[in-house]
Amino acid sequence: MSKIKIISIIAALAFITACATVPITGRKQMNLFPENQMIATSLTQYDTFLKENKLSTNKEQSEMVKRVGKRIAEVVEIFMKDNGMADRVDGFAWEFNLVEDATPNAWCMPGGKVVFYTGILPYTQTEAGLAVVMGHEIAHAIARHGNERMSQQMGIQALGTGLSVLVNEKPAETQQIWMTAFGAVSNVGVMLPFSRSHETEADKMGLIFMAMAGYDPAVAVDFWKRMGESGGQKPPEFLSTHPADDTRVQNLRAFLPEAMKYYKK
Ligand SMILES: [Zn+2]
């Protein structure tokens, strides 16, 4: 058999086995990288990020980030296990940190490794406001959007070598792709933004997640209005292809009744 034939067969098999269903929305997706490998890489990249960045010294704010994160992660884990989707949180080791950085940003890597930047707190304002962003970021991780983006970015060639080999042989390059895939860089030039559909999906799932944790999902509308009115720099994670703010607010409003069904005061 020719090399090309073998590669195409491997690729076809990979596509078949990589097909999965996103919780809540039921969308079919394709993730080329094994999730356990994504999580393992996540650990390394997260530690590196924390070493290179300064944790916030504001105890109250740092604790709020941890509290909200824990609360949402707990209900999400229970929900996934109760609904036959335990694999979605398999191997997760949640961590929630607040770093000193004026950029309004937040992200969550595979395995539940979350970072909030102090620059987003003026927009979230309240604990429920923070839960909007937390729900959204956790949703990206549960929906494995990073894996989808990495799959698109690295393409099929990566299959032959595997992510771990890439990490070992081209650490700088891989780290760059990795960090951009999770919105953890502010350099727009190399930004690989979440697609519009990923953003909308994370918004929807995020509303439900925050509602399940006892946070009023209605506050999401005001949060996104504040973000829209800010006019200045938006979170890199939300840049570029994310739905226009008016559209986003409209979509959130339309989805609110569904999220309210999960809201336990
Ligand atoms: Zn997002």
Side-chain angles (χ1 to χ4, degrees):
M1 233 187 311
S2 73
K3 213 176 172 187
I4 290 174
K5 246 185 189 165
I6 295 170
I7 290 170
S8 2
I9 289 169
I10 292 172
L13 280 173
F15 273 111
I16 293 161
T17 54
C19 199
T21 306
V22 178
I24 303 211
T25 65
R27 181 177 64 87
K28 295 275 179 247
Q29 66 176 170
M30 202 139 52
N31 290 322
L32 297 179
F33 298 104
E35 201 57 21
N36 59 1
Q37 224 177 61
M38 294 289 293
I39 291 174
T41 309
S42 199
L43 279 177
T44 318
Q45 305 288 11
Y46 192 71
D47 285 348
T48 307
F49 181 88
L50 290 183
K51 266 180 214 140
E52 290 170 355
N53 289 271
K54 191 178 170 288
L55 284 177
S56 166
T57 49
N58 188 317
K59 224 179 155 195
E60 204 181 311
Q61 290 176 341
S62 305
E63 274 169 10
M64 192 195 278
V65 169
K66 289 184 200 298
R67 182 169 64 243
V68 174
K70 256 192 183 163
R71 211 165 129 179
I72 296 179
E74 258 172 38
V75 294
V76 166
E77 285 219 7
I78 293 168
F79 181 84
M80 293 303 146
K81 282 168 187 162
D82 286 352
N83 289 278
M85 296 177 285
D87 67 303
R88 284 276 161 172
V89 286
D90 200 27
F92 269 52
W94 299 96
E95 212 176 315
F96 310 95
N97 284 295
L98 179 65
V99 300
E100 204 66 58
D101 190 318
T103 318
N105 198 23
W107 42 261
C108 178
M109 284 179 180
K113 301 297 185 188
V114 176
V115 161
F116 267 63
Y117 297 39
T118 47
I120 200 155
L121 299 182
Y123 298 97
T124 56
Q125 292 184 355
T126 61
E127 185 156 340
L130 204 151
V132 174
V133 179
M134 187 68 76
H136 177 95
E137 295 310 325
I138 287 178
H140 275 311
I142 296 291
R144 296 178 183 167
H145 288 159
N147 196 331
E148 270 187 319
R149 286 208 294 181
M150 298 256 303
S151 303
Q152 290 157 359
Q153 172 84 350
M154 288 182 153
I156 207 96
Q157 304 107 300
L159 277 175
T161 48
L163 187 59
S164 58
V165 178
L166 276 172
V167 172
N168 293 333
E169 284 181 1
K170 297 177 182 173
E173 208 172 294
T174 315
Q175 182 169 359
Q176 182 70 6
I177 293 168
W178 185 270
M179 296 311 266
T180 53
F182 297 96
V185 286
S186 45
N187 184 344
V188 183
V190 297
M191 184 59 192
L192 178 65
F194 281 119
S195 67
R196 269 167 184 252
S197 60
H198 280 177
E199 282 305 322
T200 308
E201 191 166 74
D203 279 348
K204 281 185 180 180
M205 292 170 72
L207 280 192
I208 287 181
F209 290 167
M210 73 180 288
M212 289 192 308
Y215 297 109
D216 183 359
V219 305
V221 173
D222 287 333
F223 166 75
W224 282 108
K225 274 190 186 160
R226 283 196 292 277
M227 289 301 307
E229 282 159 8
S230 74
Q233 205 197 355
K234 296 201 171 60
E237 199 268 270
F238 303 158
L239 268 177
S240 187
T241 61
H242 97 261
D245 295 299
D246 285 349
T247 317
R248 190 165 210 160
V249 168
Q250 270 173 22
N251 286 342
L252 283 167
R253 278 218 178 93
F255 194 68
L256 209 49
E258 178 64 24
M260 288 306 276
K261 290 181 194 165
Y262 295 82
Y263 182 36
K264 292 186 194 93
K265 277 174 218 176

